[in-house]
Amino acid sequence: MAAAPVWSVDPRTGKRREQVAVEATAEEVGRAVTAAHEARGALADRGTRAAFLRTAAALLEDARDALVEAADAETALGPARLTGELARTCYQLRAFADIVDEGAYLGVVIDHPDDTTTPPTPDLRRYKVPLGVVAVYSASNFPFAFSVPGGDTASALAAGCPVVVKAHPDHPATSERAASVLRRAAAEHGIPEAVVGLVHGFDAGLDLIRHPLVAAAGFTGSVRGGRALFDAAAARPVPIPFHGELGSLNPVVVTEAAAAERAEEIGTGLAGSMTLGVGQFCVKPGLVLAPAGEGGDRLVTSLAEAVGATGPGVLLDHRMREAFVAGVAERAGLPDVAAPVTPGPADAHTVAAGFLTVPAARLTAEGAHDLLLEECFGPVTVVARYASREEVTAVLSRLPGNLTATVQLSAREAAGEDGAAALLADVTPLAGRVLVNGWPTGVAVAPAQQHGGPYPATTSTSTSVGGTAIERWLRPVAYQNTPEALLPPELHDANPLGLPRRYDGRLEH
């Protein structure tokens, strides 16, 4: 049987642009993984790895125009958005290079023998080593930052792990171009190009997660697809870590005092956040708890004006468009659900943004309205109007895990008055990032970032953005009573590499 072709498709028209590749067979996946595994030693030197990451960033910048053109043709996200995303991707690569140079991520701890402890402490020296080949599953909505050259790839390479990337079918040409750039960067530093493998095809993705030389996986996508891969990772003869970002509702709670104080500002801000990128951000606010009174009415009016002024947009592919249209129609048909601005199809290729409203009481108990508590990918949000603080608590208690949770507070509440701390305590268990008087869209690449949350937001407690994302691809090893001549240099007493470490209980920089 001939291999299935992989086509680049224009989401603005639904028409094929070009054949980019063919879907990988199980044998081809196996060759890519084996080659990556055999090349892992070339990533052992930290200085070489850091230089490789910086060169990758520079070469991506050199190829910016061609990469952005290819990505726009396949995603319709627009040159401005994609140029910014590529800049973010390059910044992320350089940030991980800095982390590799610093070396704190190795977590070096040295304890000398101590007979006074109970039980006595032997000579123990601990640090972290790379897991091995990492399977990376690209995201549809970020063809750079969460795809071939994105955070999973950058953090894995920084940890010393080769990657084999399963390209997303929505941007195969962009994936090929980006992979070529990363391989050229590797070659410039004498690293085999196989440290960045790329495969296409649904079956290839399954073959990849099952390959015995794959040591861990990173995924960004749907609950359905991510859970299938997560289960496959756990079902292997040797289970492996699977760090998946699957889905998030990203709830927002607007207090009565905040609505009274600045309803119009909140409504406009919400409109900008929920329609950003045609509502295709993983942190789009999908459920908003707003008061039922006059302040809430003003908020809804402001939101309707701002969303109504938003032009139609193109989703990443026609399959997603169909799912959005069907999902909105199903939600809008539920009892007591209204659509002040109707979301749905604008023409054969675009969609119009909109939002739904519902009494919050409909969401406090199990029933058909549970659908409103599930993510709907695209430019739509649900505004649930609550009559009491008790209704807010009841709705929050029914929510699944999320990447973010947001509270909109009045000035007095933000100063710590009127029970705002209790509301923050209610939302904190729901999410990995809690925002006050802001909007969740926009995930800063910063050391303190947490982009991950309780299931189904993610399948682990780790983050996929920020410096600590590197920890996903490492495991600790302790050496006991090992002669220094046999120890890795990272664990020598003299600290020849100048690493930050904890030495006999003291933190050394």
Side-chain angles (χ1 to χ4, degrees):
M1 178 184 292
V6 175
W7 293 93
S8 173
V9 177
D10 184 347
R12 294 180 174 95
T13 64
K15 295 181 179 179
R16 292 173 173 176
R17 298 176 57 247
E18 59 176 326
Q19 182 180 338
V20 173
V22 295
E23 294 186 358
T25 64
E27 291 75 16
E28 288 167 337
V29 171
R31 286 198 291 272
V33 173
T34 299
H37 176 76
E38 293 175 348
R40 68 194 188 282
L43 293 173
D45 182 75
R46 287 192 302 122
T48 301
R49 288 207 309 274
F52 165 34
L53 293 172
R54 292 189 177 100
T55 298
L59 293 182
L60 286 169
E61 288 171 340
D62 290 344
R64 180 188 60 197
D65 290 348
L67 286 168
V68 168
E69 181 181 7
D72 181 49
E74 293 186 310
T75 67
L77 289 172
R81 148 70 198 275
L82 291 166
T83 298
E85 185 187 329
L86 184 59
R88 178 190 192 277
T89 303
C90 294
Y91 174 82
Q92 190 164 239
L93 285 161
R94 292 187 173 104
F96 277 115
D98 292 342
I99 288 168
V100 172
D101 279 341
E102 181 193 58
Y105 75 95
L106 291 167
V108 176
V109 182
I110 296 176
D111 289 324
H112 288 97
D114 187 349
D115 292 336
T116 67
T117 63
T118 305
T121 302
D123 186 288
L124 287 170
R125 295 158 190 256
R126 182 183 192 269
Y127 82 142
K128 296 176 183 176
V129 298
L131 289 174
V133 178
V134 173
V136 173
Y137 293 82
S138 295
S140 62
N141 54 344
F142 284 89
F144 299 128
F146 284 86
S147 293
V148 173
D152 285 352
T153 295
S155 58
L157 292 172
C161 296
V163 301
V164 177
V165 184
K166 191 273 182 186
H168 197 280
D170 278 354
H171 41 78
T174 307
S175 298
E176 287 286 349
R177 286 178 178 270
S180 176
V181 172
L182 296 184
R183 289 167 179 156
R184 283 196 288 117
E188 285 197 15
H189 296 279
I191 298 171
E193 294 184 3
V195 296
V196 180
L198 182 68
V199 296
H200 298 266
F202 177 83
D203 289 341
L206 294 175
D207 293 331
L208 185 58
I209 199 71
R210 293 167 179 158
H211 196 284
L213 292 180
V214 168
F219 171 90
T220 302
S222 68
V223 173
R224 181 181 178 185
R227 184 55 195 254
L229 291 170
F230 177 58
D231 291 347
R236 290 167 39 127
V238 178
I240 59 172
F242 182 87
H243 303 282
E245 180 190 322
L246 310 189
S248 185
L249 194 61
N250 304 301
V252 178
V253 180
V254 182
T255 68
E256 191 170 354
E261 184 176 276
R262 51 191 182 88
E264 288 76 17
E265 176 189 333
I266 294 171
T268 301
L270 173 59
S273 185
M274 59 152 287
T275 61
L276 186 65
V278 202
Q280 297 174 113
F281 278 47
C282 50
V283 288
K284 179 203 74 176
L287 175 69
V288 182
L289 288 157
E294 184 266 342
D297 291 343
R298 288 166 42 218
L299 187 159
V300 169
T301 298
S302 172
L303 177 62
E305 291 174 354
V307 172
T310 303
V314 178
L315 295 183
L316 292 162
D317 62 38
H318 280 58
R319 177 183 55 82
M320 292 183 188
R321 180 185 178 277
E322 291 167 6
F324 171 74
V325 170
V328 165
E330 189 176 3
R331 288 163 172 79
L334 295 171
D336 292 332
V337 173
V341 178
T342 303
D347 58 33
H349 305 294
T350 63
V351 296
F355 67 99
L356 309 174
T357 61
V358 66
R362 282 286 194 177
L363 306 179
T364 59
E366 278 190 42
H369 288 76
D370 286 359
L371 184 62
L372 300 177
L373 304 182
E374 297 177 10
E375 180 183 14
C376 186
F377 194 72
V380 64
T381 195
V382 175
V383 179
R385 306 293 298 275
Y386 65 85
S388 66
R389 178 70 167 81
E390 289 71 27
E391 281 189 355
V392 172
T393 300
V395 173
L396 292 176
S397 71
R398 302 199 61 240
L399 296 186
N402 293 272
L403 293 169
T404 72
T406 300
V407 292
Q408 296 289 340
L409 306 175
S410 68
R412 280 177 55 86
E413 290 168 327
E417 302 179 31
D418 302 332
L423 177 57
L424 228 63
D426 282 348
V427 301
T428 295
L430 297 175
R433 179 163 57 107
V434 176
L435 297 91
V436 176
N437 291 351
W439 298 105
T441 39
V443 183
V445 179
Q449 186 58 270
Q450 174 62 29
H451 190 64
Y455 185 86
T458 49
T459 60
S460 73
T461 58
S462 302
T463 179
S464 62
V465 179
T468 54
I470 195 174
E471 296 173 0
R472 298 174 296 166
W473 320 121
L474 299 162
R475 67 176 181 89
V477 175
Y479 291 88
Q480 182 170 328
N481 295 336
T482 304
E484 186 166 278
L486 302 179
L487 287 169
E490 290 86 350
L491 299 180
H492 287 192
D493 279 329
N495 197 11
L497 303 180
L499 296 170
R501 61 184 186 173
R502 187 169 290 278
Y503 191 81
D504 285 338
R506 301 186 308 275
L507 192 62
E508 296 181 347
H509 297 280

